[in-house]
Amino acid sequence: MVAVHSKADVREFLSSRRARITPEQAGMTTYGGKRRVPGLRREEVAMLAGVSTEYYARLERGNLRGVSESVLDSISRALQLDEAERTHLFDLARIANAGARPRRKPHPRVTPTVQRILEGMASTPAFVQNGCLDIVAFNRLGYALYSEVFEEPARPANFARFAFFNPRSHDFYPDWDGAANTTVAQLRTAVGRDPYDKALTDLIGELCTRSEEFRSRWAAHDVRLHQSGLKHFHHPVIGAIHLAFEAMELAANPGLKLIAYSPEPGTASEDALNLLASWAATLDREDHAAVDRSEDTHAP
């Protein structure tokens, strides 16, 4: 199992960000000699952030209690954190200063309105996922695109379990390493927001226990907001397809995100998506036929 959001997590996040920045990248002058640590020293980060070495060392030991937003901003600049990393650092500090452990909240549910919106996006693969990377709602094309993920018998279907436990994910994601890195970074980001989500911590414990590939990536402490970009798939029915995506937080359902895909017009991926839609229609007919057969069997 894995402990999340401990002082060790804060320490390892800050030290790993410090280790990747050279003095030259930070705009500092060096005068030769062998450095004993990769990247910046603690005192160099402290100087860049405008705080004492003792104070920064306290923070890097995992003690974020009482730290101000201005200091967090200064450290973010000194460590050259991107938007996702800066948000993660603020989340770590927010939890450290929250006091008593909050009461467990029920997981948000997809409203009928959101489901109707999904179904109305007839020409767009779309789905809703939660912080655990469960697929909690989807439309017909979303189901067809991720048919490999839905082959797993467990419900809700989960992207992380598929990526790390199912060998077919290596065929489905042409850049499996990139997909695996993104999956872990999204989970690390989610834990930063809510370290007391039992379903999330249980999932991470399961992944760490069963997958060395996951454990090594989890130890890197990388985070990602995953708001837009381009994804590449090798679908078992339609072959290669490349789709741009946009991810939208559902304001009325905190913790849920709607993700929709679109091909570049006039490309082979647009043709592949049209083929996927035709295949999805055959799945609908098969489902209806199965229901009809079941009703005939149980008819009096």
Side-chain angles (χ1 to χ4, degrees):
M1 296 299 287
V2 61
V4 295
H5 232 341
S6 65
K7 287 187 175 182
D9 291 308
V10 177
R11 180 179 68 246
E12 291 163 10
F13 175 69
L14 288 174
S15 62
S16 65
R17 303 311 97 167
R18 173 167 60 86
R20 70 183 182 179
I21 302 174
T22 65
E24 292 75 18
Q25 289 171 326
M28 303 180 70
T29 302
T30 57
Y31 299 97
K34 187 175 181 180
R35 296 173 66 88
R36 292 181 297 175
V37 296
L40 296 176
R41 300 185 179 101
R42 285 180 176 176
E43 58 267 26
E44 291 169 334
V45 176
M47 182 184 69
L48 291 168
V51 299
S52 70
T53 300
E54 293 76 14
Y55 186 73
Y56 177 74
R58 189 200 101 186
L59 300 181
E60 197 173 288
R61 285 194 295 269
N63 187 356
L64 295 180
R65 295 293 298 272
V67 63
S68 68
E69 289 190 5
S70 62
V71 168
L72 292 175
D73 275 327
S74 296
I75 292 171
S76 297
R77 289 192 295 271
L79 294 176
Q80 300 180 16
L81 303 186
D82 62 23
E83 182 185 358
E85 292 166 331
R86 181 185 178 278
T87 300
H88 186 63
L89 178 60
F90 272 73
D91 283 336
L92 293 173
R94 173 178 53 81
I95 297 299
N97 288 283
R101 177 171 174 162
R103 299 180 70 178
R104 186 180 301 174
K105 302 175 183 176
H107 275 192
R109 296 183 177 275
V110 174
T111 65
T113 300
V114 171
Q115 186 62 56
R116 287 196 299 271
I117 291 171
L118 283 174
E119 293 168 359
M121 302 166 71
S123 61
T124 301
F127 62 93
V128 174
Q129 73 177 30
N130 61 17
C132 292
L133 305 187
D134 294 325
I135 306 177
V136 296
F138 48 88
N139 64 9
R140 185 177 70 178
L141 271 182
Y143 180 89
L145 178 63
Y146 282 108
S147 58
E148 289 287 86
V149 182
F150 284 104
E151 282 290 318
E152 294 289 323
R155 290 292 181 268
N158 182 271
F159 286 118
R161 289 190 178 96
F162 173 71
F164 289 100
F165 298 158
N166 192 328
R168 294 172 70 170
S169 66
H170 290 260
D171 295 325
F172 184 67
Y173 298 119
D175 178 16
W176 184 87
D177 282 324
N181 291 339
T182 296
T183 298
V184 176
Q186 287 186 85
L187 290 175
R188 179 64 84 170
T189 302
V191 165
R193 286 194 299 264
D194 187 1
Y196 302 118
D197 185 328
K198 186 177 185 303
L200 180 58
T201 56
D202 286 351
L203 172 66
I204 292 165
E206 177 188 0
L207 291 162
C208 282
T209 300
R210 296 178 56 187
S211 172
E212 172 59 33
E213 291 278 12
F214 181 87
R215 280 196 301 275
S216 62
R217 288 171 169 82
W218 185 254
H221 287 263
D222 292 331
V223 291
R224 188 170 302 184
L225 295 180
H226 204 57
Q227 297 169 327
S228 63
L230 183 66
K231 288 208 173 185
H232 310 280
F233 306 97
H234 189 273
H235 193 276
V237 174
I238 62 173
I241 184 169
H242 314 289
L243 298 170
F245 76 91
E246 291 287 337
M248 295 151 275
E249 299 282 349
L250 298 179
N253 301 100
L256 296 183
K257 184 182 295 185
L258 190 154
I259 301 174
Y261 292 97
S262 176
E264 188 71 25
T267 64
S269 289
E270 184 178 45
D271 295 336
L273 185 60
N274 290 333
L275 181 59
L276 182 70
S278 297
W279 180 65
T282 67
L283 294 180
D284 284 349
R285 288 195 293 271
E286 290 171 1
D287 288 343
H288 287 310
V291 171
D292 291 342
R293 287 194 298 272
S294 175
E295 290 177 348
D296 289 343
T297 300
H298 293 91

